[in-house]
Amino acid sequence: MMCDLCGVREAEIYQAHSRKRLCKECFLNDILARVEKEAKKQNLLNANKILIAVSGGKDSLVLADTLSKIVNPNRIVAFNIVEGIKGYNREDQVRELSNYLKELGIDLISTSFEKSVGYTLDQMVKSSSQRGLNVAACTFCGGFRRKLINGAGREVNADFVSTGHNLDDEVQTIIINLLRGDVKKLLRIGDSQPKLSEKFVMRVKPLRKVYEWETTMYAYFKGFHFQEVECPYISAKPTMRAKVRDLLYALEERSPGALLQILENFDSLAESIRKGTKLGSLPSCKLCGEPTSFGREYCKNCELLISSGLIFADRT
């Protein structure tokens, strides 16, 4: 069967949400066009410098590849974090990532939880567990990754911090915060997020309208070598995100395009609410000085380290 777009080449992909059969070339061009559209909406094309968070997984490789075709690679800096998970973080993966980014003309800077926080993720989880705390590894990991990525963005004077979150990730986040009733976090999701602190670098997600299966196929067609092993903490203790993910996959299978529709409706609703809402500027953590939530003395990251017995609240 021929491609529905070009009508010249054999179709290799069925795009369920658009009901189109696409050849390899038209599929890759479609992804690039959607990323460029989102990048324009988020004003990335006018940025002097963009920090992209890269893990070596498929999404971050697709982010680097597509963004380097839209923005001059000299204006992009990649940032990698080694969390410190036994059997998961490997030096050869970081080397391969660095080599690929060099081919794109993108410089890579790296750090680790151990170097920047003082503890590996394994050590944080172990200490928390020994104290009988029911804290998921993802809670530690997500919070400290966001903190380090934002800090790196400030250090390189980036106008934006760009992450490889795809459509599936975005919709999962929306549903999770709806279930938790966290309205303030919901208002910070979207294609035009409010800046609640001068210490925050604006965060953008150019892949937010691209399905995860599409980033997988993009990476496959491009011949990327990426980390395919799922984090052992996710399989050992499924999080709410993993459960929501499975529900959304079932919904998408029954109604192709459902995730895209949820996100577009949410963006429209969130923007109208933000226009009539004044969130104010976030206070600073008394321990690390980074922004924290309203009504908190310490940020969530420092609270986790304190409750795990890794640091003390009166540390100077």
Side-chain angles (χ1 to χ4, degrees):
M1 189 170 291
M2 306 306 288
C3 174
D4 289 334
L5 288 185
C6 70
V8 176
R9 292 176 291 267
E10 286 285 336
E12 298 185 48
I13 287 285
Y14 177 63
Q15 202 174 51
H17 68 274
S18 69
R19 297 180 181 176
K20 292 178 181 177
R21 291 173 174 81
L22 305 176
C23 66
K24 172 183 173 180
E25 289 79 1
C26 287
F27 171 76
L28 294 175
N29 289 335
D30 175 66
I31 300 300
L32 183 60
R34 284 152 62 191
V35 173
E36 184 172 13
K37 181 179 179 180
E38 200 64 26
K40 285 180 179 177
K41 187 187 296 185
Q42 298 177 7
N43 206 30
L44 264 67
L45 275 62
N46 297 320
N48 291 316
K49 187 168 288 186
I50 303 168
L51 182 93
I52 62 172
V54 292
S55 63
K58 65 183 186 321
D59 294 331
S60 59
L61 289 173
V62 173
L63 173 66
D65 187 80
T66 53
L67 210 56
S68 67
K69 292 175 170 60
I70 299 166
V71 178
N72 189 326
N74 291 331
R75 292 155 54 192
I76 302 174
V77 178
F79 180 58
N80 174 255
I81 302 170
V82 175
E83 298 90 351
I85 304 171
K86 186 177 180 180
Y88 183 68
N89 296 133
R90 300 203 313 267
E91 291 183 6
D92 60 320
Q93 293 170 340
V94 177
R95 283 196 299 270
E96 190 165 349
L97 174 63
S98 178
N99 291 335
Y100 177 68
L101 292 169
K102 283 181 181 177
E103 292 177 9
L104 295 177
I106 298 174
D107 291 330
L108 174 68
I109 56 177
S110 300
T111 190
S112 66
F113 278 0
E114 188 169 28
K115 178 180 178 182
S116 299
V117 181
Y119 305 94
T120 66
L121 181 60
D122 285 346
Q123 289 170 335
M124 292 186 227
V125 173
K126 181 179 179 181
S127 183
S128 170
S129 178
Q130 287 174 340
R131 288 202 160 206
L133 303 178
N134 187 29
V135 180
C138 295
T139 302
F140 283 103
C141 190
F144 282 106
R145 280 185 60 83
R146 286 189 292 271
K147 180 176 182 177
L148 296 182
I149 290 168
N150 185 69
R154 287 202 310 259
E155 287 179 17
V156 302
N157 295 315
D159 300 301
F160 297 98
V161 161
S162 179
T163 61
H165 291 88
N166 56 49
L167 173 61
D168 301 46
D169 298 325
E170 280 287 86
V171 178
Q172 289 164 22
T173 299
I174 291 168
I175 300 301
I176 288 169
N177 284 300
L178 280 172
L179 292 173
R180 289 174 175 167
D182 199 331
V183 178
K184 289 181 179 178
K185 278 191 178 179
L186 278 170
L187 292 178
R188 299 205 297 268
I189 302 170
D191 53 7
S192 57
Q193 302 174 26
K195 187 172 182 178
L196 301 182
S197 172
E198 289 303 313
K199 293 180 180 179
F200 280 147
V201 181
M202 289 299 293
R203 196 174 181 191
V204 294
K205 303 170 185 177
L207 304 183
R208 67 192 302 271
K209 295 288 182 70
V210 180
Y211 282 90
E212 183 171 13
W213 75 263
E214 292 180 304
T215 64
T216 301
M217 291 309 301
Y218 188 103
Y220 170 74
F221 282 142
K222 284 284 186 174
F224 295 156
H225 296 101
F226 54 89
Q227 180 165 296
E228 299 182 68
V229 179
E230 188 172 57
C231 174
Y233 285 114
I234 293 178
S235 54
K237 185 179 180 181
T239 60
M240 181 187 289
R241 180 174 292 274
K243 296 172 184 176
V244 168
R245 178 185 63 188
D246 292 340
L247 288 172
L248 290 173
Y249 283 169
L251 174 63
E252 183 68 25
E253 186 175 356
R254 289 178 57 188
S255 304
L259 269 63
L260 192 57
Q261 189 173 14
I262 290 172
L263 183 59
E264 290 176 344
N265 288 338
F266 173 81
D267 282 349
S268 178
L269 179 63
E271 182 59 27
S272 63
I273 294 175
R274 277 195 293 264
K275 286 180 180 178
T277 305
K278 292 184 179 179
L279 295 175
S281 184
L282 293 174
S284 296
C285 173
K286 290 175 63 176
L287 198 56
C288 70
E290 291 297 310
T292 185
S293 302
F294 297 107
R296 284 182 182 269
E297 285 189 312
Y298 305 106
C299 68
K300 181 65 174 178
N301 293 321
C302 286
E303 282 187 352
L304 285 170
L305 293 180
I306 293 168
S307 61
S308 299
L310 296 171
I311 62 172
F312 300 98
D314 60 353
R315 190 181 72 171
T316 58

